[in-house]
Amino acid sequence: MTYTLTRVEDALAAENARYPLGERQRVEDPMQQQVHRSVFTGKLEEVLNSTVNWGRKHSLWPYNFGLSCCYVEMTTAFTSPHDIARFGAEVIRASPRQADFMVIAGTCFMKMAPIIQQLYDQMLEPKWVISMGSCANSGGMYDIYSVVQGVDKFLPVDVYVAGCPPRPEAFLQGLQLLQDSIQEERRPLSWVVGDQGVYRAEMPSQREKHRDRRIQVTELRTPDGI
Amino acid sequence: MSVVNPELRATDPPDHRVGLLTERLRDQFGDQILCEQATLTGMPVFWVSRRALVEVLTVLRQLPEPFEMLFDLSAIDERLRSRRHGLPETDFTVFYQLLSVSGNRDVMLKVALSERDLSLPTVIPVYRNANWYEREVWDMFGIRFEGHPNLSRILMPPTWKGHPLRKDHHARATEVDPYSMTVESQETEQQALQFRPEDWGMQRQSDDTEFMFLNLGPNHPSAHGAFRIVLQLDGEEVIDCVPDIGYHHRGAEKMAERQSWHSFIPYTDRIDYVGGVMNNLPYVLAVEKLAGIKVTARIQTVRVMMSELFRITSHLLFLGTYLQDLGAMSPVFYAFTDRQKGYEVIEAITGFRMHPAWFRIGGLMQDLPKGWDRLVQGFVDWMPARLDEYERAMMDNSLVRDRTKHIAAFDTANALAWGVTGPNLRATGCNFDLRKQRPYSGYENFDFEVPLGNNGDVFDRGQLRIEEMRQSVKILQQCVNHMPEGDYKADHPLTTPPPRERMLEHIETLITHFLQVSWGPVLPANESLQMIEATKGINSYYLTSDGSTMSYRTRIRTPSFPHLQQIPELMRGGFVPDLIAHLGSIDFVMADVDR
Ligand code: SF4
């Protein structure tokens, strides 16, 4: 598997730098190199990494942040019929400082963008971003003067959820994809041990993964009955 | 209190009162009334001179059946409009739409402005809710209002260059350089949003205390979206506050000038984004007026049914969040369970949950699916017991009562002066519901009541909506029982998309079909307007067609905009928790404010 590496020291703001901050480069799985150095430390690190990641992915605290219509479907995922607690992500936090991930649920307005950036900066590492809905993914149907054409113009996005709005189930699927990718992550285990970079796994594209199965559908149900 | 005479309906032509009004104005103002414009808006439209504007408004405000409410105020950039035969020369036109609740009628005044002299006197002394509307016109068109206390941008960021609704301003984000943000520009933008009390004539301290300025929003759990309000506090007490909007401006009105009449429908869903297809209704009705389409009874009834379903899901969302803002955790779970039930019905019929965009010009996207009645009946049977339970568990709860009774109360006169409509107006006891007063889409055939409140406080606004849901359930039952047979598309050349069967006759019909589907229908040049009783109040679309495949100007009047403008007056002297309770009781979504 290939990874995207962001070095910690690069993520500091230089004078007049452009968002998103931090140099990213594609690298091989750092674990491979470890293994060549010493089989024992390599294994130990792998066990530690996956234990920590297992803990992280099952206790993701979302930041209570909504922009527009998609937020209603996001909230729906938190209520009884969809029950996000099944995935350990029900502890909504009102402060970015206590949250693990932020869902950009809705349209990203130019007037709002600097504020979103500030809220993101206030979140502590490790932190992740889910972009929910066409608006946040790409501007969606709002190719209009007041809308940023995709929140990834200034924030690093981990998972994109398609739809306008995505169903609550789709949001939950996005959350699970985020969990999968967190499981593969390599982060510094401590400030003194080893490499201080953040390695994010390059996860396979869902579209490609499911394409073969999807194009095999030959019969579509007519909408005349329920 | 009942101020409405149900016998009189402004839309019923010919109304002898229009003649009287014209006479009255002509007598008093002579040639200051430049002309009367014939439109399909269903109301008299007068062009008045700039000099006489304030005086004419004052007279209309003081008639025996006064125009109590400034319903809407906006402008049109007329520089590229070609078909405006017989109307006064103008580059920019500002229009004032007034509503008389006592007389159940409307009137519109228009003022012509030349590009070289874009200024008008402010009308705040006559209608105080003109304040935000005038700021919006300044922001969008760059027209100045002399004497306005704070003519600053309201929707766009303070650093914005240009006025978006002018015809020479770009519409698409992709027409200009892609957006980027640097560390420095982020800082500058944040600085520009900084609140300075002096700009709003506020003191930083009084004789004995220093005030605290609290910035609530634009991201706050109880601000219901991207809404900001800055509070001037003395301890817990709110001395004054300044709502700040525009964090949710999606340029829907400009978008309408770039979409065909047909392809704008999905954008209407996203205006009041919890109102679903209810938003399609005023738009398609206004377009149908322009096109001269009459739809079948079945289409009307299905439209009413779907709209009322969405009224219930919207009110349920209101109820859940309203009580959550008061600190009750569980109602939101109950309410969303019911919403899910509602969505099951909506989804089975329209194929989508929140934004089905299911109404069409001259009809519906498709007919009701087989078995729809069973589904709707299931929902109708489910709801009443739940509503009773909500009432007992929540509205009878003494904590809820203490937090909401006599909080943020206002009376009918105050509501009308601020342009408040819908449940919030009816909570003051004013019986004004367009479904009764000016039935549209066949509402006159239904048997339902209009619930009213007494005190116009936070409690009444909550209670009233539970009652409204009961009435909506009643309407749904009547739809199930009496759904008329008929076509789901009107038999008219401008029905879009046209029935497919008609395409396959010969090459002519094929070409016509192709053009109408690819370019969209061409609507005759004219102006039309339709108001409806939406979930949150009166929503209206004012369409100007220049005889093309796209709208020349689409004005969307939304109820939540004036509702937010009213907040400071109600909150002065209140406490912070009262503000939170009030915000919960208004029932607004930011898309319905900023569009
Ligand atoms: S993607 Fe669609 S539903 Fe989501 S915020 Fe944008 S317009 Fe609304």
Side-chain angles (χ1 to χ4, degrees):
Chain A
M1 187 175 279
T2 51
Y3 278 77
T4 307
L5 166 65
T6 315
R7 294 209 175 275
V8 174
E9 55 271 25
D10 289 346
L12 299 177
E15 198 51 37
N16 222 2
R18 232 167 92 170
Y19 290 106
L21 299 177
E23 285 284 316
R24 282 171 191 75
Q25 60 193 100
R26 295 183 75 177
V27 293
E28 282 305 307
D29 187 346
M31 206 55 78
Q32 302 298 336
Q33 303 149 17
Q34 294 288 343
V35 172
H36 288 302
R37 265 214 322 256
S38 142
V39 174
F40 176 70
T41 49
K43 260 281 168 268
L44 185 64
E45 249 196 273
E46 191 169 317
V47 170
L48 282 177
N49 257 320
S50 57
T51 317
V52 171
N53 286 342
W54 175 84
R56 277 188 184 137
K57 77 170 185 183
H58 288 299
S59 61
L60 285 171
W61 288 8
Y63 176 37
N64 190 358
F65 176 74
L67 284 165
S68 45
C69 355
C70 279
Y71 182 59
V72 179
E73 287 297 59
M74 176 185 157
T75 320
T76 309
F78 282 86
T79 55
S80 349
H82 295 94
D83 192 12
I84 200 169
R86 293 177 291 158
F87 308 102
E90 78 280 21
V91 193
I92 308 183
R93 296 286 91 182
S95 158
R97 294 174 211 277
Q98 301 168 344
D100 296 317
F101 74 107
M102 178 180 201
V103 184
I104 309 292
T107 319
C108 179
F109 305 94
M110 287 185 192
K111 193 169 176 179
M112 200 63 190
I115 296 154
I116 299 176
Q117 181 63 50
Q118 179 167 2
L119 294 171
Y120 175 77
D121 289 343
Q122 286 173 345
M123 287 167 64
L124 300 179
E125 287 282 358
K127 58 184 172 185
W128 300 273
V129 174
I130 294 182
S131 161
M132 181 181 182
S134 316
C135 282
N137 295 346
S138 68
M141 53 194 277
Y142 288 97
D143 179 2
I144 195 82
Y145 57 87
S146 58
V147 172
V148 179
Q149 300 299 297
V151 71
D152 53 8
K153 294 277 175 298
F154 60 95
L155 282 191
V157 174
D158 294 276
V159 178
Y160 296 87
V161 183
C164 181
R167 306 173 59 94
E169 294 88 343
F171 168 64
L172 293 176
Q173 188 193 7
L175 180 69
Q176 284 168 283
L177 290 174
L178 178 66
Q179 293 180 327
D180 293 348
S181 106
I182 290 174
Q183 182 63 55
E184 302 296 330
E185 262 183 28
R186 305 272 181 265
R187 283 179 182 268
L189 286 169
S190 105
W191 285 106
V192 286
V193 179
D195 187 0
Q196 297 296 307
V198 177
Y199 292 82
R200 290 203 165 137
E202 307 240 328
M203 302 303 282
S205 139
Q206 293 295 303
R207 189 178 61 174
E208 263 141 50
K209 199 169 145 200
H210 297 296
R211 182 180 292 139
D212 287 342
R213 186 174 50 79
R214 283 179 183 154
I215 59 176
Q216 274 164 15
V217 176
T218 49
E219 268 182 45
L220 298 174
R221 197 173 64 83
T222 79
D224 299 343
I226 52 169
Chain B
M1 173 192 144
S2 175
V3 284
V4 176
N5 180 352
E7 315 299 30
L8 299 175
R9 284 222 236 111
T11 42
D12 280 358
D15 187 343
H16 66 281
R17 296 178 304 168
V18 173
L20 290 179
L21 185 67
T22 317
E23 230 167 82
R24 165 86 206 253
L25 290 179
R26 284 223 183 273
D27 276 357
Q28 190 168 348
F29 294 100
D31 55 5
Q32 299 295 325
I33 306 293
L34 306 175
C35 77
E36 195 181 337
Q37 182 186 353
T39 63
L40 295 171
T41 54
M43 68 184 81
V45 179
F46 299 104
W47 288 76
V48 301
S49 75
R50 170 159 68 173
R51 200 143 45 85
L53 171 71
V54 176
E55 244 178 287
V56 177
L57 285 173
T58 314
V59 167
L60 292 171
R61 178 94 176 76
Q62 286 160 358
L63 289 177
E65 257 178 11
F67 288 92
E68 304 98 341
M69 186 191 291
L70 175 69
F71 179 77
D72 197 9
L73 189 178
S74 189
I76 308 176
D77 179 352
E78 304 242 27
R79 289 175 297 175
L80 299 182
R81 190 169 166 192
S82 46
R83 316 222 187 148
R84 43 189 319 284
H85 185 69
L87 298 179
E89 274 300 303
T90 169
D91 293 325
F92 287 85
T93 304
V94 178
F95 62 85
Y96 299 77
Q97 187 184 339
L98 309 181
L99 172 75
S100 165
V101 167
S102 48
N104 190 20
R105 59 173 175 164
D106 318 275
V107 66
M108 187 184 288
L109 301 184
K110 288 189 175 183
V111 187
L113 292 177
S114 131
E115 221 172 326
R116 292 179 306 280
D117 184 15
L118 291 178
S119 85
L120 270 174
T122 175
V123 301
I124 298 176
V126 193
Y127 291 103
R128 58 191 126 152
N129 65 331
N131 190 320
W132 277 19
Y133 288 106
E134 290 181 350
R135 282 177 66 193
E136 188 188 343
V137 173
W138 158 246
D139 195 357
M140 293 288 132
F141 293 92
I143 297 168
R144 301 198 59 81
F145 291 88
E146 305 305 335
H148 191 290
N150 198 306
L151 197 65
S152 52
R153 289 201 183 268
I154 185 166
L155 296 179
M156 301 309 293
T159 50
W160 193 264
K161 301 259 177 325
H163 302 282
L165 280 180
R166 286 191 177 194
K167 290 286 177 186
D168 45 17
H169 188 282
H170 68 275
R172 304 272 185 216
T174 46
E175 284 168 36
V176 292
D177 292 339
Y179 180 86
S180 72
M181 183 169 33
T182 62
V183 172
E184 196 184 83
S185 73
Q186 198 253 2
E187 190 58 37
T188 326
E189 293 289 331
Q190 288 279 45
Q191 285 297 334
L193 291 174
Q194 184 90 40
F195 180 77
R196 275 173 296 275
E198 295 76 22
D199 295 350
W200 301 89
M202 289 179 171
Q203 301 293 330
R204 283 190 190 257
Q205 60 211 25
S206 69
D207 293 341
D208 50 1
T209 177
E210 198 176 320
F211 298 125
M212 172 171 138
F213 289 90
L214 183 70
N215 187 40
L216 197 141
N219 178 55
H220 186 276
S222 56
H224 293 245
F227 171 53
R228 175 186 183 207
I229 181 163
V230 184
L231 310 175
Q232 182 188 28
L233 297 177
D234 180 5
E236 272 283 283
E237 191 187 333
V238 180
I239 304 295
D240 203 349
C241 56
V242 180
D244 181 19
I245 63 172
Y247 297 94
H248 198 299
H249 176 62
R250 282 200 284 221
E253 293 179 9
K254 187 84 172 180
M255 195 52 110
E257 299 169 13
R258 291 290 190 283
Q259 296 287 334
S260 74
W261 294 102
H262 170 64
S263 63
F264 185 63
I265 296 175
Y267 289 92
T268 62
D269 280 76
R270 289 155 179 83
I271 297 294
D272 163 14
Y273 54 66
V274 291
V277 294
M278 167 103 70
N279 292 286
N280 304 161
L281 195 54
Y283 178 70
V284 295
L285 289 178
V287 172
E288 282 163 9
K289 272 188 193 166
L290 278 177
I293 301 177
K294 285 243 170 319
V295 300
T296 61
R298 183 175 180 87
I299 297 174
Q300 287 191 330
T301 315
V302 175
R303 283 178 177 175
V304 166
M305 182 173 86
M306 297 315 292
S307 302
E308 292 303 322
L309 262 171
F310 267 104
R311 189 186 307 281
I312 297 175
T313 54
S314 167
H315 279 12
L316 281 169
L317 180 103
F318 159 83
L319 196 67
T321 53
Y322 160 79
L323 290 157
Q324 191 176 37
D325 287 349
L326 297 174
M329 197 52 200
S330 36
V332 75
F333 290 104
Y334 284 88
F336 272 71
T337 307
D338 295 346
R339 271 169 62 82
Q340 184 66 19
K341 299 247 178 224
Y343 274 140
E344 273 159 25
V345 183
I346 290 168
E347 207 182 338
I349 294 177
T350 67
F352 213 78
R353 284 163 62 94
M354 273 180 76
H355 303 316
W358 199 64
F359 297 170
R360 291 289 179 272
I361 300 167
L364 308 164
M365 187 233 145
Q366 62 169 50
D367 208 348
L368 292 171
K370 290 187 204 78
W372 67 272
D373 40 350
R374 202 163 29 80
L375 271 183
V376 179
Q377 188 62 51
F379 184 68
V380 168
D381 294 340
W382 164 265
M383 278 312 290
R386 299 284 282 193
L387 291 173
D388 293 345
E389 191 176 337
Y390 294 154
E391 189 154 359
R392 204 166 42 79
M394 300 159 196
M395 302 316 281
D396 289 349
N397 179 317
S398 63
L399 279 176
V400 171
R401 284 175 168 265
D402 284 351
R403 281 290 305 277
T404 56
K405 282 265 182 195
H406 308 296
I407 300 297
F410 53 89
D411 60 12
T412 306
N414 187 292
L416 295 177
W418 282 106
V420 174
T421 53
N424 295 352
L425 172 64
R426 292 191 289 276
T428 67
C430 174
N431 184 1
F432 192 74
D433 185 322
L434 289 184
R435 293 176 294 172
K436 286 280 187 207
Q437 261 71 44
R438 306 175 184 181
Y440 51 91
S441 196
Y443 269 109
E444 64 275 20
N445 305 325
F446 290 91
D447 171 29
F448 65 99
E449 275 145 46
V450 177
L452 297 179
N454 296 313
N455 307 319
D457 55 8
V458 172
F459 179 83
D460 278 7
R461 291 194 278 278
Q463 178 72 36
L464 188 101
R465 282 174 171 98
I466 295 188
E467 214 47 65
E468 284 205 346
M469 281 191 264
R470 290 205 176 99
Q471 297 302 324
S472 295
V473 170
K474 204 164 148 190
I475 296 178
L476 289 183
Q477 182 68 68
Q478 294 168 47
C479 291
V480 176
N481 295 348
H482 308 291
M483 179 60 70
E485 291 299 318
D487 285 337
Y488 70 98
K489 276 188 185 183
D491 182 18
H492 190 282
L494 287 173
T495 296
T496 313
R500 209 181 146 74
E501 311 80 58
R502 214 176 302 147
M503 167 179 82
L504 300 168
E505 281 165 24
H506 47 78
I507 185 72
E508 258 321 302
T509 55
L510 190 69
I511 293 174
T512 319
H513 187 102
F514 176 75
L515 289 182
Q516 209 187 336
V517 172
S518 53
W519 291 348
V522 176
L523 293 190
N526 208 327
E527 296 175 14
S528 80
L529 184 141
Q530 178 70 43
M531 300 181 186
I532 67 151
E533 192 65 44
T535 58
K536 300 174 170 52
I538 301 181
N539 178 207
S540 82
Y541 280 72
Y542 171 30
L543 307 177
T544 304
S545 166
D546 202 23
S548 117
T549 55
M550 285 181 285
S551 155
Y552 185 81
R553 167 97 173 95
T554 298
R555 167 65 184 169
I556 309 170
R557 191 271 184 194
T558 51
S560 303
F561 184 86
H563 292 171
L564 293 194
Q565 188 179 186
Q566 189 198 18
I567 294 175
E569 183 171 292
L570 300 178
M571 288 329 298
R572 283 183 202 124
F575 292 114
V576 179
D578 298 344
L579 171 77
I580 303 299
H582 179 49
L583 288 183
S585 78
I586 298 176
D587 187 19
F588 63 94
V589 296
M590 284 317 287
D592 199 47
V593 180
D594 299 340
R595 287 148 281 131

